[in-house]
């Protein structure tokens, strides 16, 4: 049987192709640190393969696996000269999960495993610290009782709280050895009462129970939610790391901490982290005690008195500092490290690539190129394109007068406002009703993950920069202010109090995750600019990519924003969106409801100057770049009046009774408007509409040219074509109109006429269509809709079921499906057969999705087009797909 359990020191890890897939991220890094000669407590990793076997064998550990565990345990015993379950010199273990990618707080951990009524006495004797031994034992019963035996934690907490009340003390640290002895008995009784089973005294049973529990936690609800949010496949499974315990809670020469090699919030090259003297790891992450800073600099800049580790443990700090430098050089990336100090001896418990804000990710990548740690290509590959979204997030408008009611830690940048909610379910409920919320919690736990996702921001009263709230919010790109000790939360009354304010559930607050401010009311925000490190990284990306990036835009404002974000033209100008303006909609309604050609012409005449003006502005902003203008596409009834008032308004303009308007509305009603009278079908039925639009385009171009204003290069696009004849007729219409306008103005204009490919027939018959089209733009929204036969307007109601049942791994309207992709490939191939130089692009929503962009790059498209805020995302994704092609 293949070795499925590997000691950290095992040489076999070298032979494994993808150590992280087999050993999980934590296991692979522990073994790597061991090989680098760093102080890692001995242990072994039970691989992800075992997790798969566990589920295959009805959630049981097989005999052979148990044998391998026993064998590896012997090696550890030898290494540390202790014995598991020994009554004199017992080995204690930690059992931790470790998936391929880190899932902070999502799965279970058990510490102090191997303690029982006998070994606890041995530990007490050996350390001459009875209080420590008993405290460790009760923590173990509590953790094990909860994680493995399913006894809710609060039962234990209540016992402690009640005991403290009777004893008249406030803090856990006020309890002595005898107190813990009594509580240990009570804990064991609670376990028996609640689970029906005795707390196991056999240490090997403890170990197998813990390993199984970690595997089971892979399928816990919170882990499932996290996987769904982060697109982590459930087949991956988790590994389990079994490691000899080191103690940070044996006295004041002990400590435990979490440290980043650079600042995860702003990316500056300073060690950033927190530690707690005389504590175990969970205390730092859980946020139950407020941790102290690692460096003196960080402590001073926070204006805090509690000594930093640099000051309180200078020797250990120096050693840690050296190790951090070594780790960064080795991994060539910012590391997030967990350590423990046991009686002044430093132990490294974990290293991993540190989660960071988008801002710091960009800064770190650019800095590391400057430091010659990584290449420009590597820097470009380091940044998750989707994460740029948060960099483009708005910040508070500093000109606004604000009422800061509290301050906390700037845990995750960005500013957001919303109604205060104190409960994750409520955040989710209001989000479903399109209401913005700020989730306010004393501290968050993994159970809050859905609420954190649904809320626009998170505010906690406790916990540091590495608390659950901070880490998870940064990963999600949600603004977060953590550890605001200035707020006092009362869940029962659904209020929080600050020094001089009481804020109720439903009141609106704003949080600024970049500064840590909590503000009463809604504060306006300003849009960010691309500059500094961000623009440097983007310029590197641009130098590597071949795919052009355009934008979908039809307003001057969006067009300007997109150009500032680096758009290289417009790939889709949806002209119907130009009609929604209040002033124009009436003329549009007049046009639609006209019964005769003459009446329609009158209405169109009113619309023409508006369209022309819009085009002029857009052509000016995109000067020198291509602009694809799509002629009218949507079903006409979208513009119809609905209310009595609207019907009355149209009736008076067209001089008809309201009743007649209502009849006309009924006539225009369609059962399936998406498959009805829309796209070029409108141009076939009402050529005068398309003529007016073309006239507006060419008149705008002529006027710019006459005034010697540099314009964009026009590409006229016909929507929803499925046959050769449709494009042929519509192209003739465009060319004739263009000719007329050019002759009238005595100006010559160059332009292209092309089509959208958004129907399966068009894709399959692309060769015929390419006889007339000078470009294809893939409308993958409609192409997805018509390929699947799934309505893009109604899919939201059932897509979740499809994802939950693994029919779709992702919404095909978000990321391109491979069947739809095949149609794109056919169209590219067929189109090129007819016209080798045909211009190819995509303008469906997929044009801004990194995975789909990779597909477009491979399929040989010339450009992608996306909404203005996705432009930088697309630029980066296009560069990454090009770099990866060559690797
Ligand atoms: C498309 O169908 O992909 C497209 C871009 O057009 P629209 O979304 O306007 O239908
Ligand atoms: Mg479409």
């Amino acid at each position: 049987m293949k070795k499925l359990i590997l000691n950290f020191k095992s040489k076999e890890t070298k032979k494994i192709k993808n150590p992280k897939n087999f050993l999980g991220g934590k296991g692979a890094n522990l073994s790597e640190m061991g090989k680098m000669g760093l102080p890692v407590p001995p242990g072994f990793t039970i691989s992800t393969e075992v997790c798969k076997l566990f589920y295959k064998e009805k959630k049981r550990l097989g005999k052979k696996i148990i044998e391998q565990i026993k064998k590896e345990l012997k090696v550890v015993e030898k290494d540390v000269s202790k014995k598991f379950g020994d009554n004199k010199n017992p080995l204690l273990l930690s059992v931790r999960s470790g998936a391929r990618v880190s899932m902070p707080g999502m799965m279970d951990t058990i510490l102090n495993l191997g303690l029982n009524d006998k070994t606890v006495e041995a530990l007490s004797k050996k350390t001459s610290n009875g209080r420590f031994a008993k405290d460790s034992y009760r923590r173990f019963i509590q953790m094990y009782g909860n994680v493995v035996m399913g006894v809710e934690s609060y039962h234990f907490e209540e016992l402690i709280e009640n005991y403290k009340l009777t004893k008249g003390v406030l803090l856990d640290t006020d309890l002595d050895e005898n107190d813990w002895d009594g509580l240990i008995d009570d804990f064991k009784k609670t376990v028996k009462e609640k689970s029906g089973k005795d707390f196991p005294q056999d240490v090997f049973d403890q170990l197998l129970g813990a390993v199984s529990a970690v595997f089971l936690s892979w399928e816990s609800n919170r882990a499932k939610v996290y996987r769904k949010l982060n697109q982590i496949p459930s087949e991956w499974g988790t590994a389990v790391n079994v490691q000899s315990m080191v103690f940070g809670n044996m006295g004041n020469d002990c400590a435990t901490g979490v440290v980043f090699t650079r600042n995860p919030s702003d990316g500056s090259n300073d060690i950033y982290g927190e530690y707690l003297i005389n504590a175990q790891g969970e205390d730092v992450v859980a946020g139950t005690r407020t941790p102290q800073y690692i460096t003196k600099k960080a402590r001073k800049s926070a204006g805090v008195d509690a000594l930093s580790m640099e000051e309180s443990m200078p020797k250990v700090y120096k050693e840690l500092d050296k190790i951090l430098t070594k780790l960064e050089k080795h991994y060539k990336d910012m590391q997030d490290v967990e350590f423990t100090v046991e009686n002044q001896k430093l132990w490294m418990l974990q290293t991993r690539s540190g989660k960071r804000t988008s801002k710091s990710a960009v800064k770190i990548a650019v800095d590391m190129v400057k430091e010659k740690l990584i290449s420009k290509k590597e820097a470009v590959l380091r940044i998750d394109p989707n994460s740029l979204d948060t960099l483009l997030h708005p910040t508070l408008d500093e000109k606004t007068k604000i009422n800061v009611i509290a301050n906390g830690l700037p845990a995750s940048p960005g500013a957001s406002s919303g109604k205060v909610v104190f409960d994750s379910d409520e955040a989710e409920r209001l989000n479903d009703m399109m209401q913005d919320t700020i989730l306010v919690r004393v501290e968050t736990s993994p159970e809050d993950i859905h609420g954190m996702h649904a809320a626009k921001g998170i505010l906690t009263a406790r916990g540091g920069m590495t608390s659950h709230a901070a880490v998870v919010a940064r990963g999600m790109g949600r603004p977060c202010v953590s550890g605001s000790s200035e707020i006092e939360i009362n869940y029962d009354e659904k209020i929080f109090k600050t020094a001089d304010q009481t804020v109720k559930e439903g009141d609106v607050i704003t949080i600024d995750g970049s500064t840590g401010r909590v503000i009463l009311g809604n504060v306006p925000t300003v849009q960010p600019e691309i500059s500094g490190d961000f623009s440097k990284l983007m310029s590197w990306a641009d130098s590597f990519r071949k795919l052009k990036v355009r934008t979908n835009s039809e307003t001057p404002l969006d067009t300007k924003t997109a150009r500032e974000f680096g758009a290289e033209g417009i790939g889709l100008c949806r002209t119907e969106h130009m009609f929604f303006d209040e002033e124009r909609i009436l003329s549009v309604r007049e046009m639609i409801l006209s019964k005769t050609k003459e009446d329609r012409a009158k209405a169109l005449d009113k619309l023409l100057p508006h369209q022309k003006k819009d085009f002029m502005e857009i052509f000016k902003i995109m000067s020198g770049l291509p602009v694809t203008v799509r002629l009218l596409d949507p079903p006409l009834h979208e513009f119809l009046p609905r209310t009595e008032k609207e019907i009355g308004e149209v009736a008076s303009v067209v001089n008809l009774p309201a009743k007649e308007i209502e009849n006309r509305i009924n006539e225009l009603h369609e059962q399936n408007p998406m498959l009805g009278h829309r796209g070029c079908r409108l141009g076939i039925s009402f050529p005068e509409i398309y003529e007016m639009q073309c006239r507006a385009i060419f008149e705008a171009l002529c006027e710019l040219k006459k005034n010697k204003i540099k314009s964009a290069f026009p590409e006229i696009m016909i929507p929803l074509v499925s046959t050769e004849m449709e494009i042929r007729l519509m192209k003739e219409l465009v060319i004739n109109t263009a000719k007329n306008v050019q002759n009238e103005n005595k100006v010559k204009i160059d332009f292209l006429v092309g089509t959208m490919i958004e129907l399966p027939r068009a894709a399959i018959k692309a060769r015929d269509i390419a006889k007339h089209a000078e470009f294809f733009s893939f409308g993958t929204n409609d192409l997805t809709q018509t390929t699947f036969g799934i309505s893009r307007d109604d899919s939201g109601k059932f897509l979740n079921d499809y994802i939950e049942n693994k029919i779709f791994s992702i919404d095909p309207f978000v990321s391109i499906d491979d069947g739809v992709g095949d149609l794109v490939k056919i169209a590219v191939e067929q189109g090129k057969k007819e016209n080798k130089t045909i211009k190819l692009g995509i303008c469906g929503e997929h044009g801004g999705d990194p995975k789909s962009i990779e597909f477009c790059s491979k399929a040989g498209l010339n450009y992608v087009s996306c909404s203005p805020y996705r432009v930088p995302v697309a630029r980066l994704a296009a560069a990454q797909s090009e770099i990866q092609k060559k690797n």
Side-chain angles (χ1 to χ4, degrees):
M1 188 179 178
K2 184 180 159 195
K3 254 194 133 189
L4 296 179
I5 299 174
L6 289 181
N7 193 286
F8 298 159
K9 292 189 309 189
S10 169
K11 295 214 168 65
E12 290 199 28
T13 35
K14 279 201 185 134
K15 290 188 227 150
I16 303 168
K17 233 174 143 199
N18 285 310
K20 282 196 177 158
N21 296 2
F22 186 67
L23 298 171
K26 187 180 296 199
N29 287 340
L30 278 169
S31 122
E32 192 130 345
M33 280 204 290
K35 287 192 203 90
M36 285 166 72
L38 303 183
V40 174
F44 54 89
T45 305
I46 304 174
S47 67
T48 52
E49 289 298 314
V50 180
C51 183
K52 288 176 203 163
L53 287 174
F54 176 82
Y55 279 101
K56 222 171 165 181
E57 288 167 20
K58 302 198 175 75
K59 302 181 186 166
R60 279 185 23 244
L61 292 165
K63 240 190 185 160
K64 289 207 171 122
I65 297 295
I66 295 175
E67 269 168 31
Q68 279 193 40
I69 294 179
K70 282 188 175 159
K71 222 167 120 197
E72 289 309 327
L73 200 54
K74 288 256 159 356
V75 181
V76 177
E77 286 180 334
K78 218 169 139 207
D79 264 356
V80 295
S81 309
K82 289 180 185 172
K83 252 180 108 71
F84 193 44
D86 193 66
N87 290 347
K88 287 209 182 75
N89 190 14
L91 163 68
L92 301 186
L93 299 171
S94 70
V95 177
R96 297 170 202 261
S97 62
R100 275 193 213 185
V101 291
S102 111
M103 295 167 57
M106 286 304 122
M107 286 178 295
D108 291 323
T109 290
I110 292 170
L111 303 178
N112 307 329
L113 190 136
L115 282 175
N116 59 21
D117 294 350
K118 296 214 172 96
T119 54
V120 71
E121 296 305 334
L123 182 68
S124 161
K125 238 193 230 151
K126 232 190 120 239
T127 57
S128 313
N129 190 340
R131 187 194 180 279
F132 154 74
K134 300 294 161 63
D135 182 33
S136 302
Y137 190 25
R138 71 88 193 172
R139 282 173 189 257
F140 173 50
I141 302 174
Q142 197 169 344
M143 249 184 181
Y144 195 93
N146 174 241
V147 171
V148 185
M149 306 180 80
V151 182
E152 300 238 39
S153 264
Y154 74 89
H155 292 300
F156 303 111
E157 293 297 342
E158 255 173 28
L159 284 172
I160 301 179
E161 289 310 313
N162 289 340
Y163 187 84
K164 282 197 290 196
L165 274 180
T166 352
K167 200 181 167 189
V169 296
L170 267 177
L171 303 170
D172 286 10
T173 39
D174 294 330
L175 300 180
D176 63 23
E177 181 179 352
N178 290 333
D179 299 324
W180 288 125
D181 256 342
L183 278 164
I184 285 167
D185 278 342
D186 293 344
F187 276 22
K188 284 193 291 192
K189 273 187 210 135
T190 300
V191 168
K192 174 87 192 192
E193 207 181 289
K194 303 286 170 201
S195 74
K197 287 187 206 135
D198 284 317
F199 182 79
Q201 291 293 316
D202 182 313
V203 292
F204 206 72
D205 284 351
Q206 292 176 356
L207 179 57
L208 296 187
V211 171
S212 303
V214 173
F215 284 148
L216 288 172
S217 68
W218 176 253
E219 288 297 341
S220 65
N221 269 342
R222 61 185 198 232
K224 282 192 201 160
V225 171
Y226 188 91
R227 286 207 294 271
K228 199 169 146 199
L229 290 177
N230 294 281
Q231 292 166 30
I232 298 171
S234 71
E235 308 83 76
W236 282 3
T238 181
V240 182
N241 297 292
V242 179
Q243 195 170 22
S244 55
M245 280 294 297
V246 284
F247 293 96
N249 57 340
M250 269 194 341
N252 286 339
D253 59 350
C254 302
T256 189
V258 180
V259 61
F260 292 85
T261 54
R262 302 188 188 218
N263 188 314
S265 207
D266 65 18
S268 58
N269 195 357
D270 290 319
I271 292 175
Y272 193 87
E274 292 158 340
Y275 83 114
L276 274 173
I277 288 184
N278 200 8
Q280 268 192 341
E282 292 340 88
D283 301 332
V284 182
V285 189
T288 40
R289 272 169 66 186
T290 298
Q292 290 155 236
Y293 289 96
I294 298 275
T295 61
K296 192 173 161 186
K297 187 174 164 189
R299 169 181 82 79
K300 289 220 150 160
S301 76
V304 171
D305 290 332
L307 283 189
S308 66
M309 183 180 176
E310 186 175 2
E311 294 154 301
S312 67
M313 294 183 160
K315 245 178 85 190
V316 187
Y317 168 79
K318 261 195 196 137
E319 193 188 345
L320 177 67
D321 188 19
K322 257 196 208 143
I323 290 177
L324 295 181
T325 312
K326 210 167 167 182
L327 282 171
E328 231 194 36
K329 282 227 164 89
H330 180 81
Y331 285 103
K332 298 187 190 315
D333 195 11
M334 185 262 258
Q335 296 293 294
D336 162 2
V337 165
E338 275 177 33
F339 67 88
T340 281
V341 181
E342 184 184 271
N343 307 128
Q344 293 289 346
K345 161 120 185 82
L346 177 65
W347 290 99
M348 305 306 293
L349 300 188
Q350 160 165 312
T351 188
R352 60 185 171 191
S353 194
K355 286 210 189 298
R356 61 205 82 178
T357 60
S358 319
K359 185 176 164 200
S360 72
V362 171
K363 175 160 172 52
I364 290 170
V366 172
D367 283 352
M368 284 190 167
V369 172
K370 282 189 214 150
E371 293 160 27
K372 299 200 164 49
L373 262 181
I374 57 173
S375 68
K376 286 180 186 164
K377 275 188 185 167
E378 280 171 305
V380 166
L381 289 175
R382 282 279 163 90
I383 310 297
D384 171 5
N386 279 322
S387 74
L388 293 187
D389 238 4
T390 58
L391 266 190
L392 308 170
H393 269 340
T395 49
L396 289 184
D397 182 356
E398 294 299 337
K399 284 193 252 86
T400 317
K401 225 173 149 239
I402 55 173
N403 177 9
V404 177
I405 51 170
N407 281 287
L409 296 172
S412 179
S416 54
S417 308
K419 287 182 179 168
V420 167
V421 290
F422 294 96
D423 177 281
S424 283
D425 291 341
E426 180 66 2
E428 202 170 42
R429 191 183 70 81
L430 291 181
N431 185 46
D432 287 344
M433 293 163 64
M434 312 291 284
Q435 296 192 28
D436 294 347
T437 57
I438 302 290
L439 178 63
V440 182
R441 304 280 300 161
V442 174
E443 57 200 294
T444 61
S445 80
E447 267 75 33
D448 289 311
I449 184 121
H450 62 296
M452 296 174 77
H453 192 248
K456 288 283 172 288
I458 297 127
L459 167 63
T460 68
R462 277 214 294 249
M465 291 289 281
T466 50
S467 64
H468 178 266
V471 171
V472 175
R474 279 200 293 274
M476 283 180 177
R478 288 282 173 291
C480 173
V481 173
S482 72
S484 173
S485 50
E486 295 167 21
I487 67 169
E488 195 187 303
I489 299 174
N490 186 326
Y491 286 141
D492 291 334
E493 291 180 26
K494 298 197 174 152
I495 54 166
F496 76 78
K497 285 188 178 164
T498 65
D500 42 26
Q501 281 283 343
T502 298
V503 179
K504 300 187 297 302
E505 183 177 60
D507 289 351
V508 174
I509 60 165
T510 299
I511 58 163
D512 181 0
S514 312
T515 60
R517 289 174 298 177
V518 181
I519 301 148
L520 197 63
N522 187 34
V523 182
T525 50
V526 283
Q527 299 304 328
E529 292 170 38
I530 294 192
S531 60
D533 291 329
F534 187 28
S535 66
K536 184 164 271 169
L537 186 97
M538 292 311 293
S539 74
W540 294 340
D542 290 343
S543 73
F544 297 127
R545 77 183 153 93
K546 291 215 175 95
L547 210 54
K548 295 267 181 205
V549 177
R550 299 196 197 177
T551 190
N552 293 356
S553 165
E554 45 276 324
T555 66
L557 182 68
D558 278 1
T559 308
K560 230 169 134 243
T561 309
R563 186 144 196 188
E564 276 158 18
F565 283 160
E568 295 159 304
I570 291 184
L572 175 62
C573 171
R574 290 177 164 106
T575 48
E576 58 270 17
H577 288 193
M578 296 166 153
F579 288 157
F580 283 122
D581 185 283
E582 233 180 273
E583 224 185 296
R584 305 171 194 188
I585 190 88
L586 201 57
S587 311
V588 175
R589 287 179 176 150
E590 193 183 334
M591 164 188 93
I592 299 167
L593 294 164
S594 311
K595 273 210 155 162
T596 64
K597 216 174 163 156
E598 291 73 45
D599 284 349
R600 196 169 305 113
K602 262 193 245 156
L604 286 169
D605 280 347
K606 286 188 207 163
L607 284 170
L608 189 128
H610 292 299
Q611 287 245 286
K612 182 174 161 187
K613 189 168 156 273
D614 285 350
F615 289 136
M616 277 180 71
E617 277 197 62
I618 288 173
F619 291 153
K620 264 197 275 185
I621 298 169
M622 278 294 169
S623 70
L625 297 170
V627 168
T628 308
V629 181
R630 181 178 74 185
L631 302 184
L632 198 67
D633 176 43
L636 289 181
H637 82 277
E638 266 189 23
F639 297 104
L640 288 178
R642 285 167 216 268
T643 60
E644 236 176 77
K645 183 173 165 260
E646 286 170 355
I647 292 174
E649 273 170 9
V650 186
S652 70
V653 176
V654 292
N655 229 347
L656 284 172
K659 187 76 201 143
E660 206 158 310
I661 301 287
E662 278 167 29
N663 289 343
R664 183 84 179 116
I665 293 171
N666 287 338
E667 268 169 47
L668 283 167
H669 174 78
E670 290 179 305
Q671 294 295 349
N672 278 313
M674 272 290 186
L675 303 176
H677 204 182
R678 58 172 288 217
C680 66
R681 296 160 203 170
L682 293 172
I684 303 280
S685 306
F686 309 113
E688 56 276 21
I689 299 180
Y690 275 16
E691 271 163 23
M692 178 280 285
Q693 291 198 291
C694 289
R695 182 161 274 282
I697 295 168
F698 288 103
E699 283 188 4
L701 290 163
C702 288
E703 195 164 327
L704 289 173
K705 200 161 185 179
K706 279 198 239 167
N707 291 318
K708 298 200 168 51
I709 297 170
K710 194 170 175 202
S711 158
F713 180 81
E715 300 178 346
I716 317 297
M717 181 153 79
I718 315 295
L720 219 74
V721 162
S722 58
T723 70
E724 182 187 342
M725 203 54 183
E726 284 169 326
I727 178 73
R728 204 180 115 187
L729 289 175
M730 291 299 103
K731 187 181 181 183
E732 266 170 33
L733 179 151
V734 176
I735 290 181
N736 288 338
T737 315
K739 256 191 210 146
N740 292 342
V741 179
Q742 290 180 85
N743 289 341
E744 287 159 21
N745 288 279
K746 300 195 177 46
V747 169
K748 186 167 165 7
I749 304 287
D750 289 325
F751 62 96
L752 296 182
V753 183
T755 180
M756 296 194 69
I757 300 288
E758 50 185 343
L759 294 172
R761 191 183 191 281
I764 293 164
K765 289 290 194 187
R767 189 167 185 174
D768 293 341
I769 290 171
K771 285 181 198 155
H772 311 281
E774 291 161 295
F775 63 85
F776 285 169
S777 177
F778 290 96
T780 43
N781 302 335
D782 274 311
L783 192 58
T784 303
Q785 164 167 266
T786 47
T787 301
F788 279 104
I790 289 180
S791 156
R792 50 196 270 204
D793 293 336
D794 302 311
S795 63
K797 292 196 185 116
F798 56 85
L799 264 187
N800 237 355
D801 301 336
Y802 267 57
I803 288 167
E804 249 156 44
N805 285 298
K806 300 190 177 136
I807 300 169
F808 290 154
S809 60
I810 187 165
D811 180 345
F813 289 102
V814 171
S815 202
I816 198 159
D817 160 74
D818 64 344
V820 176
D822 283 350
L823 282 172
V824 173
K825 284 190 215 157
I826 291 171
V828 169
E829 195 191 307
Q830 293 300 314
K832 280 191 172 168
K833 268 190 194 158
E834 181 60 38
N835 174 1
K836 251 202 249 148
T837 57
I838 191 164
K839 225 177 185 182
L840 301 163
I842 181 173
C843 63
E845 285 309 299
H846 306 86
D849 165 62
K851 268 206 187 118
S852 313
I853 292 171
E854 191 184 341
F855 165 81
C856 294
S857 161
K858 285 187 185 148
L861 302 199
N862 305 106
Y863 69 86
V864 297
S865 188
C866 55
S867 61
Y869 279 87
R870 297 299 290 180
V871 167
V873 176
R875 285 163 67 194
L876 185 59
Q880 291 183 345
S881 54
E882 200 60 42
I883 295 170
Q884 268 149 351
K885 249 194 231 168
K886 285 177 190 150
N887 283 343

